Amino acid sequence: MGEIDYGSYIPPYQQIAAEIIADIKRGVLQPGRAIPSEPQLVQRYGVARATARRAVAYLRDQGYVFTIAHRGSYVSLDLDERGLLGDSAKGD
């Protein structure tokens, strides 16, 4: 975790989001638990704050996280019910 492929056709914010989604599906990030903050994402990936913010917004738009103002973003509680975990988290 922590490297952006700037030669990829996938935008950096989507690469960050994809790694967080993978961590959610593997159970590294559990429902209701905080995801890394925007400053942590900036430091980890070496991207601009706007890129980190866009990654979190993308995750929120896709339903993987919810955000509480001035508190942070957290893994959604109902991912399994909405079919966002896929088979990997179910052990199939």
Side-chain angles (χ1 to χ4, degrees):
M1 191 177 210
E3 286 197 32
I4 298 296
D5 179 2
Y6 288 101
S8 174
Y9 67 91
I10 300 170
Y13 78 93
Q14 286 185 350
Q15 292 180 48
I16 294 168
E19 287 195 14
I20 293 171
I21 290 168
D23 282 347
I24 291 169
K25 288 184 175 185
R26 284 194 311 264
V28 174
L29 293 171
Q30 296 287 320
R33 303 294 290 194
I35 66 167
S37 67
E38 289 176 8
Q40 289 171 327
L41 294 174
V42 167
Q43 184 175 17
R44 181 178 295 169
Y45 293 98
V47 296
R49 181 85 182 245
T51 301
R53 185 173 292 126
R54 193 166 180 194
V56 173
Y58 180 82
L59 290 165
R60 191 172 43 251
D61 292 345
Q62 297 298 311
Y64 285 97
V65 303
F66 64 94
T67 300
I68 300 173
H70 309 292
R71 295 293 202 135
S73 295
Y74 301 84
V75 178
S76 294
L77 300 172
D78 60 348
L79 294 174
D80 195 33
E81 292 83 12
R82 292 187 291 135
L84 294 176
L85 289 180
D87 292 339
S88 62
K90 296 177 188 174
D92 295 343

